[in-house]
Amino acid sequence: MSRTDTAPAALGDVTAAPSPTDRSRNAARPVLLLWRREMTRLRHNPVRLAMGLVTPLLFLVVLGTGLDAASSSLGKAQLNDYRAYLFPGTLVMSVQAPAIAVGISLVWDRRLGVLRQMLVAPFPRASIVFGLALGGATTGAVYGLMVLSVGGIASIRYTPMLLVVLLELLLVSLMFTALGLLAAVTIRQVDTFQVVVNLSLMPLMFFSGAMFPPNGLPGWLDTVVKLNPLTYGVDAVRRTLPGPSVLTSEQTRLMLGDWHPPVAAELGVLAALTAVALGLAGYRFSRTS
């Protein structure tokens, strides 16, 4: 009698193994949830959004106009419109800060204990990294779109090619986010992370050809510029933007020896670096205890 009574209970305790479809849903759900969290933060922080536009505009209008006027007054201007040349670097600068902010938020989540709650959730840990990366890249692209909307200041034409530029900015933003997340899963202290990020971003921008042509530089500077992956992103954006001829002239295009790398190859460099950084960040994060 007792054997008959306990048999159904034993059968009821057996739990079916999750199907591949269920595992896929478990992996995709945190990506969507974390992306929505980043979009919610963006929507509820208008001051952050406004500052993301003010800083690039100051960089473009003040520095661009000042250097253009100074070059004209000295009679040494080699570019017809320095503001147009400066605009691609301004676009790239506008996407880097919000993308890197995702890495900072991950460090803070670890410090405040929020990350521990994520780690015990029943989905792959790498999904957390991919969700944060998607949210950071989208946020950066929003900032880039705002700066693109005022491109007329730099004589940029409003044509459908700006959609291609926006996709390039999305890739650049994803690269920044991936690098920021890789640093965040490696560095556990907030202060240390901020110092490392601040010391890294400025050289990346200054040695990317954003403010001066990447060709004809002294030996050591030429080597640094060519090894900087951001150089290829800035050059790709510059050559895609519809505007003055200064954006695509032989003097301002990136040269590797006697070869002008095509835009597709430059974007391939960014995509490869992004994939490696995301893979390493996901691997290290999956081993986080």
Side-chain angles (χ1 to χ4, degrees):
M1 181 62 124
S2 59
R3 182 179 303 174
T4 306
D5 293 340
T6 57
L11 291 175
D13 290 338
V14 177
T15 303
S19 65
T21 303
D22 293 334
R23 287 196 294 267
S24 299
R25 289 176 180 173
N26 287 337
R29 186 179 180 186
V31 173
L32 179 60
L33 290 177
L34 289 168
W35 175 82
R36 289 179 60 185
R37 187 185 73 162
E38 294 302 320
M39 296 302 98
T40 301
R41 286 179 174 177
L42 179 64
R43 187 174 66 252
H44 291 289
N45 196 347
V47 175
R48 173 187 167 193
L49 200 61
M51 290 305 298
L53 179 62
V54 169
T55 303
L57 277 178
L58 289 175
F59 186 86
L60 175 65
V61 175
V62 177
L63 182 60
T65 304
L67 290 179
D68 197 19
S71 298
S72 298
S73 63
L74 294 174
K76 297 180 180 179
Q78 296 180 353
L79 303 176
N80 293 328
D81 189 344
Y82 187 74
R83 277 188 297 184
Y85 180 84
L86 193 64
F87 189 71
T90 306
L91 281 172
V92 172
M93 185 185 70
S94 70
V95 307
Q96 69 177 8
I100 293 295
V102 175
I104 297 176
S105 70
L106 180 59
V107 178
W108 274 109
D109 285 344
R110 178 189 289 116
R111 182 172 181 177
L112 297 175
V114 177
L115 185 60
R116 185 173 299 276
Q117 298 176 14
M118 295 184 186
L119 293 177
V120 299
F123 48 73
R125 292 184 175 184
S127 298
I128 297 176
V129 174
F130 298 143
L132 290 173
L134 181 60
T138 306
T139 301
V142 171
Y143 279 68
L145 178 61
M146 291 193 306
V147 179
L148 269 178
S149 67
V150 296
I153 297 175
S155 303
I156 301 300
R157 297 190 300 271
Y158 296 99
T159 70
M161 279 300 294
L162 293 183
L163 296 176
V164 179
V165 175
L166 186 60
L167 291 177
E168 293 174 343
L169 291 176
L170 182 64
L171 176 58
V172 174
S173 181
L174 184 60
M175 180 193 72
F176 277 124
T177 307
L179 293 175
L181 289 172
L182 179 57
V185 299
T186 305
I187 303 171
R188 295 178 175 269
Q189 297 298 322
V190 177
D191 295 339
T192 304
F193 178 84
Q194 291 177 336
V195 169
V196 170
V197 168
N198 290 333
L199 290 178
S200 301
L201 289 182
M202 191 60 69
L204 280 176
M205 283 302 304
F206 271 96
F207 297 121
S208 65
M211 289 171 283
F212 49 82
N215 306 312
L217 301 173
W220 68 271
L221 184 56
D222 181 75
T223 301
V224 172
V225 169
K226 301 300 171 54
L227 291 177
N228 183 1
L230 195 57
T231 300
Y232 302 93
V234 172
D235 189 64
V237 171
R238 177 174 290 121
R239 291 163 60 184
T240 308
L241 276 170
S245 59
V246 67
L247 297 173
T248 56
S249 68
E250 293 291 326
Q251 290 75 22
T252 59
R253 290 174 58 186
L254 176 65
M255 288 189 63
L256 300 177
D258 297 327
W259 179 56
H260 288 293
V263 172
E266 294 177 324
L267 296 179
V269 170
L270 299 183
L273 177 60
T274 301
V276 171
L278 273 179
L280 289 175
Y283 173 75
R284 290 185 64 89
F285 189 77
S286 65
R287 300 175 66 87
T288 300
S289 58

